[in-house]
Amino acid sequence: MPSTLAHAASASLVAVTIAHIHPNETSYILAALFSASVLDLDHVYYMVRDRHFYQRFGYRGNLHYARSAAHEMLGLLITGVASGLLFLVDQKLARVVFIALTIHLVQDWVVGNSRPFMPVDSTPVQFFSLTLRHKVIIDIIILMVSGALWTLYLAGDP
């Protein structure tokens, strides 16, 4: 799964682009960055709670266990409901939040190890069997491409 930085860089860029946010609309850009990365806060809780497991087995290859149901289909449902309520207040913000969170989830589902129907069914689903090296390479590519595209985006519209 991509790192929190890769999520922030890529998912937020997709969100501001699709939602037609101008580079001078800083509050929407910040909301996109926050929304694209906030889901990863659930890792902290599980890493602290299960610290003995991680001390014994390490983090490498085990971080998919440090995810709540918010990282799965339930998270998409919660995102949809929250964005629907937010839509009543600020439609542009609702689009940015929904897109950024959804892209984060999709990235994790495609690249990582997922349990889509958690907490009802904990059967793991994995589309690709990627090594840590592959994931690091994917992360670096995401960060490089996103960095270049963010530069173009921010320099584009005064």
Side-chain angles (χ1 to χ4, degrees), residues 137-153:
I137 290 169
I138 290 169
D139 220 47
I140 290 169
I141 291 170
I142 288 171
L143 288 168
M144 288 173 50
V145 170
S146 296
L149 292 174
W150 265 111
T151 303
L152 293 172
Y153 167 78

Side-chain angles (χ1 to χ4, degrees), residues 65-138:
Y65 293 118
R67 290 174 22 171
S68 70
H71 249 96
E72 307 299 347
M73 296 292 269
L74 181 62
L76 191 57
L77 176 65
I78 293 167
T79 298
V81 169
S83 296
L85 294 172
L86 193 54
F87 192 80
L88 299 172
V89 178
D90 186 340
Q91 295 177 1
K92 206 181 249 192
L93 182 60
R95 281 193 295 270
V96 166
V97 168
F98 180 76
I99 294 167
L101 284 165
T102 301
I103 295 297
H104 177 128
L105 289 170
V106 170
Q107 287 174 335
D108 279 352
W109 295 342
V110 171
V111 177
N113 189 341
S114 179
R115 294 174 287 163
F117 301 109
M118 189 174 122
V120 177
D121 181 12
S122 291
T123 304
V125 174
Q126 188 174 10
F127 292 109
F128 304 102
S129 181
L130 301 173
T131 65
L132 179 63
R133 182 174 186 212
H134 292 133
K135 290 180 182 183
V136 168
I137 290 169
I138 290 169

Side-chain angles (χ1 to χ4, degrees), residues 1-5 7-8 35-45 47 66-67 71 104 108:
M1 68 187 132
S3 69
T4 304
L5 287 176
H7 284 308
S35 299
S37 54
V38 71
L39 273 177
D40 282 345
L41 286 176
D42 66 350
H43 294 310
V44 175
Y45 168 75
M47 290 167 65
R67 290 174 22 171
H71 249 96
H104 177 128
D108 279 352

